[in-house]
Amino acid sequence: MENGLSEDLSDSTQLPESDNDQRVYFVPYRWWKDAQDATTSDESDGNRGVLFMATPPSSYAGPMKLINSIFNPELAFNLRREENSLQNGESGEVGISGRDFALVSGEMWLQALKWHSDTKVAAKCGKTFSAAEDDMSDVYPLQLRLSVLRETNSLGVKVIKKDNVTELFRRACKIFSLDSEMLRIWDFSGQTALFFINDKTKFPKDCQQQSDQELLLELQIYGLSDSIKCREGKKADMAVQNYNGIHSSGTSTAMNGNAGNTSTSIFRSNSSAFFGRSGEAGSLGLTGLQNLGNTCFMNSAIQCLAHTPKLVDYFLGDYGREVNHKNPLGMNGEIALAFGDLLRRLWAPGATPVAPRTFKSKLARFAPQFSGFNQHDSQELLAFLLDGLHEDLNRVKSKPYVEAKDEESRPDEEVADEYWQNHVARNDSVIVDVCQGQYKSTLVCPDCRKVSVTFDPFMYLSLPLPSTNTRTMTLTVVSADGSIPPSSYTISVPKFGKCEDLIQALSIACSLGIDETLLVAEVYNNRIIRFLEEPADYLSLIRDNDRLVAYRLKKDFDNSPLVVFMHQHMEEHYFHGKLTSSWKAFGIPLVGNVHNFVTGSDIHNLYLQLVAPFRIPPDGTLDNDLDSTTIEEVEGMVDNTGSSPDGDAKPCSAKGVELPSDSELQFYLTDEKGMVKDENIVMNEPVPKIGLHKRFNVLVCWPEKLTKQYDTSLLSSLPEIFKSGFFAKRPQESVSLYNCLEAFLKEEPLGPEDMWYCPSCKQHRQASKKLDLWRLPEILVIHLKRFSYTHSAKNKLETYVDFPVDDLDLSTHLSHKNGQLSHRYMLYAISNHYGSMGGGHYTAFIHYGGDQWYDFDDSHVSPISQEKIKTSAAYVLFYRRVLK
């Protein structure tokens, strides 16, 4: 059997004579077969291979998936040679399942790669084929340990975790998993014959003798994605059709541009591609971008541009010939080249999540504002990138000087065309071709009524969000006498209202008594940092993530000092390996009134009254009736000298619940931050300096034993003014995208900082300005201005914008209608922002043919239904023109 097997293998395969690349490549069988069928007309021996079936090791009887797992240190299986399998692979369903692979030599791999990169187009360009960098980046090595099992005509294969990079071992576990369909490997390289012959002199150069029983072979894996098989069984042909569906806007469906484009790109949309006939997760543009550290804003913008139809065609084609290295306004072509390389990697068949480090470094070099790893605005990056790509790809090498003529007494159409021709005479790039439109801007002087009309280009529309009338705010109301526990109230106030509006709405919500008032304070780090006492202060000073407390006081509280209690408890922690204890602040400050002349006993009893609602009764549940004790009742248990009627007995509330003794709590006068202990407050002794201040601060130190008797978590809970949540939900109020567009186009006066110089008055005037859409681009980018800025605050608008998906009709908003072009658009991408101002997270939703959308969340790409793409997180919308 040994000799027979050796003779069959040696007769049926021959080693390539070229010494350029003697490595063994592991490729999808269908990819190899397509090239062979197209380049070979006969069934010569050179096209015949040996079929091996993958089986579990003979010593293992359990499920294979329990062995070939990334949690095990090694992967093991056998390759059994099938009798009478010397054929060219034409019979049955070989290669159709997506679980068939081929072993080919370096020369064979290069020949197949050459065919797949369209040699006819390369010949027309007069270029000699060579493996591109994109091809080589899809090749990775895998170390295999082989042993010859002659008694079963098999090869024993082991992939050891320590021999390979962890990521490559993980991929191997997916490739060689035998828990579903059978795995078949065709050897066209002839190398397996050499293993059985055991002629070490003829082993491939990447094969070494590891031991008497094992050989170490470095296998070159090509054309396989991170996920070996799409479990839904979708075909690669369907993925290509989806891609073509995206690009069906009246142009060629070829991925590298028009049908006549002389491109040397390796990407072909009419091929079975690199994965048999099974679609691969992560293939044909469904590839994520790794987050390098707060780069989700960049990933979101890039994915939207990388799925813009005309830009994909352009950068997968021969765009390098248009790179302008000498444009002083550009970046030496480096941004365009870096973006083109990144886009090709995202659209490479079988690509795994890409780390955009090179692009990030180029971005940081030419736009230092995006350097480092802070969160940024995806729209600001998009604006820079579109402008940078335009300048790097500007076909105009020497920009002519142009001067606009006087527009008076000439038709708008003539003036607009002249402005546009002047613009494209200096700016001519694929970005201008695809993304730029034209405004009509009209300025009117308020004094002399002079009218000035200009026609300016635009790259995107920045639409305001019509403000809603109200703002939702959540505050916590705390009693200043301990009569009721804290309660949170959510109220609606005028969006641009004042503090008096807030207090009025909150007074109604909490049923404030006629003899009561509210003192609002902002709490941060367990202390009050400011009181909001000016009724005329604007609510815009209060941010959504602020935490406010409203103290419920008697109206005459101004006649007596106000005491602010802050709390500390002892906390144990390790310092330099030793267990130590220190005081730590906790809870929200409590506020109450005292008389001008008070003793330490008054301070003690007032505090005990304020914390009474938080005490845990013996049965372990909070009893809110406990808080009905009044300050007067507690004071009644202490005589004028500060001692209790029962001598040494601990004070009790009116409900008979034992309160903590004086020795258990320590009181100190302190500063506003509660950081210092100025003076100890002693029972029965007057508290100094009380009458000199309107407010004074007291620090209360709690022993550990006492904290267990109170619900300190209730004391510490304090909600934010507005909690948007990580995933924004649709609010009750919404606005239409058409409303946003109308707000953008309406006439309004310029601000004082944007005064216009009137050529008639010879003065700067606060003119009125009106914008109109004159010329629409093929790709319309709409930026929703969610982030608002004032002199004192920054806020994000969570307004839900109801935008069209399939039919954005701008015909009624266009002042000049070109009868040759459509004014209707279809949505194909969304850049989303979740969270609050200055933080949060960016993702992208991308349309991928038919009704299928995908959620691009950094390196994770997953399907999402069209019903879920419309959220209040939508930030930048990408539309493409629909043909009439």
Side-chain angles (χ1 to χ4, degrees), residues 422-586:
N422 290 342
H423 173 67
V424 297
R426 296 170 54 85
N427 303 276
D428 182 18
S429 70
V430 65
I431 303 299
V432 175
D433 298 341
V434 174
C435 299
Q436 286 199 349
Q438 190 178 30
Y439 292 131
K440 176 186 177 181
S441 177
T442 305
L443 291 170
V444 180
C445 177
D447 292 342
C448 70
R449 311 307 297 176
K450 164 71 176 177
V451 178
S452 174
V453 178
T454 58
F455 294 87
D456 303 313
F458 67 85
M459 196 89 74
Y460 49 85
L461 300 178
S462 288
L463 305 186
L465 303 187
S467 300
T468 55
N469 295 325
T470 60
R471 176 185 179 186
T472 299
M473 303 180 73
T474 300
L475 294 85
T476 300
V477 176
V478 178
S479 169
D481 60 5
S483 59
I484 55 176
S487 298
S488 294
Y489 296 90
T490 299
I491 57 174
S492 293
V493 295
K495 191 174 186 65
F496 301 103
K498 300 179 181 180
C499 285
E500 59 186 357
D501 300 315
L502 169 67
I503 293 176
Q504 180 180 358
L506 188 60
S507 299
I508 297 174
C510 70
S511 302
L512 196 70
I514 192 172
D515 60 339
E516 293 179 310
T517 188
L518 294 175
L519 177 62
V520 180
E522 180 181 350
V523 174
Y524 180 74
N525 279 351
N526 309 109
R527 63 183 179 87
I528 296 175
I529 60 173
R530 61 168 174 160
F531 288 95
L532 281 69
E533 297 181 275
E534 292 296 330
D537 282 351
Y538 285 100
L539 296 179
S540 59
L541 298 173
I542 303 173
R543 297 169 298 181
D544 284 347
N545 58 348
D546 289 343
R547 287 176 163 83
L548 298 188
V549 176
Y551 295 102
R552 196 166 182 159
L553 298 164
K554 296 296 182 182
K555 279 189 175 179
D556 60 352
F557 78 95
D558 284 335
N559 299 328
S560 57
L562 196 68
V563 56
V564 178
F565 291 101
M566 288 171 276
H567 332 279
Q568 284 186 352
H569 64 86
M570 187 65 68
E571 183 177 72
E572 293 183 344
H573 57 87
Y574 284 91
F575 183 73
H576 293 307
K578 296 182 178 180
L579 184 63
T580 59
S581 300
S582 61
W583 292 103
K584 182 179 180 181
F586 73 96

Side-chain angles (χ1 to χ4, degrees), residues 42 100 131 138 297 337 364 375 410 439 463 510 521 562 569 645 821:
D42 58 0
D100 293 82
D138 197 32
F297 76 98
L337 291 171
Q375 183 69 280
R410 290 197 293 160
Y439 292 131
L463 305 186
C510 70
L562 196 68
H569 64 86
L821 296 176

Side-chain angles (χ1 to χ4, degrees), residues 134 289 307 364 425 523:
D134 287 333
L289 285 166
H307 289 81
V523 174

